[in-house]
Amino acid sequence: MYYASGNYEAFARPRKPEGVDHKSAYIIGSGLAALTAACYLVRDGQMKGEHIHILEKEDRAGGACDGWKFENIGYVMRGGREMDNHFEVMWDLFHSIPSIETEGVSVLDEYYWLNKADPNYSLCRATVNCGEDAHTDGKFDISDKGAMEIMKLFFTPNEELQDKRITDIFDDEVFNSNFWLYWRTMFAFENWHSALEMKLYLQRYIHHIGGLPDFKALRFTKYNQYESMILPMVRYLEKAGVQFLYSTFARQLVRPDNAGRVEGVIVEDENGDYKKITASKAVLLATGDYASNAEMMSYYVPWSDRFMSIFPNVDAKGEKTNTGDGQQMGMNVGGHLDVGPHAVMAHILQFGQEFFLQVNEHGERFTNEDLSMTNIAKVMQNQPGSKVFQIIDSHWPEQYPMLEMVMENIRSYGDGEGFSAQADSLEELASQLELSADATQNLTAAVARYNELCEKGVDEDFGKAAEKMFPVVDPPFYAITYDMLKHTSVEDVSCMRLLVTMGGLVTDDNARVLNDDMEPIPGLFAVGNVQGGRFVEDYPFTLSGASHAAALTYGYLT
């Protein structure tokens, strides 16, 4: 697949690689990256299906792209997929994958027809005053001067933006426009964020500009990611003769004396029998993350090692599947793992987090409450005792009406109205929260300071946007407790939910695993969440397709 000369090269089939009929491929893992690699081996590599072996320790394919029913739990899936017209590898792949619902059409055909017949758009793009239509009416409402400021940023060399904030580049001509309202709500930007990051997002999503007023640039699958993406790929591969070895555990890569080429892998079947599989060309690791490996979590992401991995995926022996098998096997033959700290995908179930004051056990405000999910979780985890209190007054129903929608959840957690504390004075609230005398004094001071900043309309301490600052003035006062160490059950509202970790083996641009000298290890590749070098410390939730795009692209490149 090439795009150097329009679509002249895009649809030309590659020549059959010399000697491919005598080669075999062993892919460890069966997530999106693994299946992508296998599909391209069949279609473009023209390798015989029976020469391709996918080793999976679960009893089904898909990895983290789940979407099925677990007995006594219910349906589990890790989100839907949000795509656009320029997912080149994905669309190239799925135009070759037959639909499993309609004979004679491709998965891409289904996507295209669905999004043509039922295009994505928003009838109300933005709200103000807690739910009123902002009436942006599809307009950018930006002056020529503001547009020129954006264009200037677009063409500014990266080196000149290293220490700049967006406020150093834009003024009110941009900040007061609908364009900025669209942009910051689509990509979670604040005025004080990095100007360089803003520029890179502009360049990556310039094709989205026209769809910002109503989200019409986004594309969605018909069903969840498992049924719309994984199942059609599996059926395609099965029909091609690809061997799926389920309930098979990869235990050790074969690389004699850790020199030369990786020659194969030692596996264990569900009966406990071991055998050596020899790979004539290479071994591809696609084993996923290590969120259920306590030792690796404690070492590489200690700030989140107590977060709960809520997904019940287990292998044929009933053990958690995401235990860092690929990372460990790769390191054991000389592969270099990301130094860290590693990034994680994590969610916290918070209620109006961005609007309300938060204090720690010392009664002190400690952050801009309007941070991204991963960032706010990291800051909360690092507070004394990893405990945080959200402080609210009696006006919360009009300040944040959506809180009532989730009140049933927090009623099962707290007391009274569902909060962990309720009182007519801040001192009594602190007493119910079991704060010390000093912490109680700090709490009243923190509330007074927060109210002062709300009155000024400027958060001089942490930079939170004025429209997201609600004072704590009129009783009764309420608190919601987030105890990051105590709560490890999915039912607990303060529990931090861990999706996956994002640290892995460092590779080059062709997904070849590198050693400590940054040289490729012959015969070893890594894709998906076992691949490193993609994210550092934090995962950008607002970057559409960041994780799946890497899985698809590097699966193709291998």
Side-chain angles (χ1 to χ4, degrees), residues 171-184:
D171 58 23
D172 288 345
E173 296 288 328
V174 174
F175 294 136
N176 292 335
S177 69
N178 286 350
F179 168 84
W180 184 242
L181 175 64
Y182 300 147
W183 188 267
R184 66 184 300 192

Side-chain angles (χ1 to χ4, degrees), residues 378-412:
K378 189 184 309 179
V379 175
M380 292 167 69
Q381 175 83 354
N382 289 334
Q383 294 311 299
S386 296
K387 185 181 288 187
V388 170
F389 306 102
Q390 200 164 335
I391 309 300
I392 304 169
D393 79 357
S394 60
H395 296 291
W396 67 263
E398 58 262 32
Q399 292 169 342
Y400 187 61
M402 288 186 65
L403 187 57
E404 183 62 35
M405 297 173 60
V406 293
M407 191 57 67
E408 283 301 319
N409 289 333
I410 62 175
R411 283 196 180 101
S412 65

Side-chain angles (χ1 to χ4, degrees), residues 226-411:
Y226 180 72
E227 292 173 323
S228 286
M229 299 171 67
I230 299 300
L231 274 182
M233 297 170 77
V234 170
R235 300 282 172 79
Y236 170 80
L237 293 171
E238 289 175 339
K239 187 175 181 180
V242 171
Q243 306 297 299
F244 282 87
L245 305 177
Y246 295 115
S247 304
T248 301
F249 302 78
R251 297 303 190 193
Q252 180 180 329
L253 297 174
V254 179
R255 191 190 186 202
D257 301 320
N258 276 1
R261 187 174 69 85
V262 172
E263 298 176 355
V265 59
I266 295 174
V267 301
E268 177 189 1
D269 64 24
E270 58 185 326
N271 298 316
D273 297 324
Y274 288 83
K275 67 177 179 179
K276 175 183 174 181
I277 297 175
T278 299
S280 62
K281 181 67 174 179
V283 173
L284 173 63
L285 296 173
T287 52
D289 73 309
Y290 58 83
S292 294
N293 185 315
E295 185 177 359
M296 292 184 71
M297 288 291 294
S298 180
Y299 187 82
Y300 292 106
V301 281
W303 63 272
S304 59
D305 66 342
R306 291 179 181 265
F307 292 173
M308 186 180 66
S309 180
I310 66 172
F311 298 100
N313 303 56
V314 294
D315 58 34
K317 296 184 177 182
E319 303 293 334
K320 286 281 190 175
T321 56
N322 51 340
T323 50
D325 301 350
Q327 288 88 340
Q328 295 176 80
M329 287 190 292
M331 286 190 289
N332 288 339
V333 295
H336 184 86
L337 198 73
D338 282 328
V339 174
H342 294 172
V344 299
M345 286 190 195
H347 293 272
I348 188 166
L349 206 169
Q350 286 186 276
F351 307 107
Q353 151 228 315
E354 67 270 30
F355 296 109
F356 300 120
L357 169 66
Q358 290 188 10
V359 299
N360 57 27
E361 275 195 316
H362 294 167
E364 300 166 335
R365 188 185 180 208
F366 55 90
T367 189
N368 175 344
E369 295 86 355
D370 188 26
L371 298 178
S372 67
M373 284 183 288
T374 304
N375 280 332
I376 194 70
K378 189 184 309 179
V379 175
M380 292 167 69
Q381 175 83 354
N382 289 334
Q383 294 311 299
S386 296
K387 185 181 288 187
V388 170
F389 306 102
Q390 200 164 335
I391 309 300
I392 304 169
D393 79 357
S394 60
H395 296 291
W396 67 263
E398 58 262 32
Q399 292 169 342
Y400 187 61
M402 288 186 65
L403 187 57
E404 183 62 35
M405 297 173 60
V406 293
M407 191 57 67
E408 283 301 319
N409 289 333
I410 62 175
R411 283 196 180 101

Side-chain angles (χ1 to χ4, degrees), residues 86-161:
H86 287 278
F87 276 35
E88 272 79 6
V89 175
M90 181 172 182
W91 304 137
D92 172 75
L93 172 63
F94 282 111
H95 95 268
S96 300
I97 305 296
S99 164
I100 59 175
E101 283 194 308
T102 308
E103 187 176 354
V105 305
S106 71
V107 174
L108 175 60
D109 293 332
E110 289 185 323
Y111 284 3
Y112 180 76
W113 296 339
L114 170 69
N115 284 276
K116 275 291 188 181
D118 184 19
N120 183 71
Y121 64 93
S122 174
L123 292 174
C124 179
R125 176 59 175 82
T127 62
V128 295
N129 301 326
C130 298
E132 296 178 11
D133 191 338
H135 285 295
T136 53
D137 301 324
K139 298 180 174 61
F140 288 104
D141 192 28
I142 190 167
S143 66
D144 290 345
K145 182 176 182 295
M148 289 304 297
E149 290 176 7
I150 296 171
M151 290 296 294
K152 181 178 180 181
L153 173 64
F154 190 94
F155 291 107
T156 299
N158 292 355
E159 295 75 17
E160 296 180 17
L161 298 172

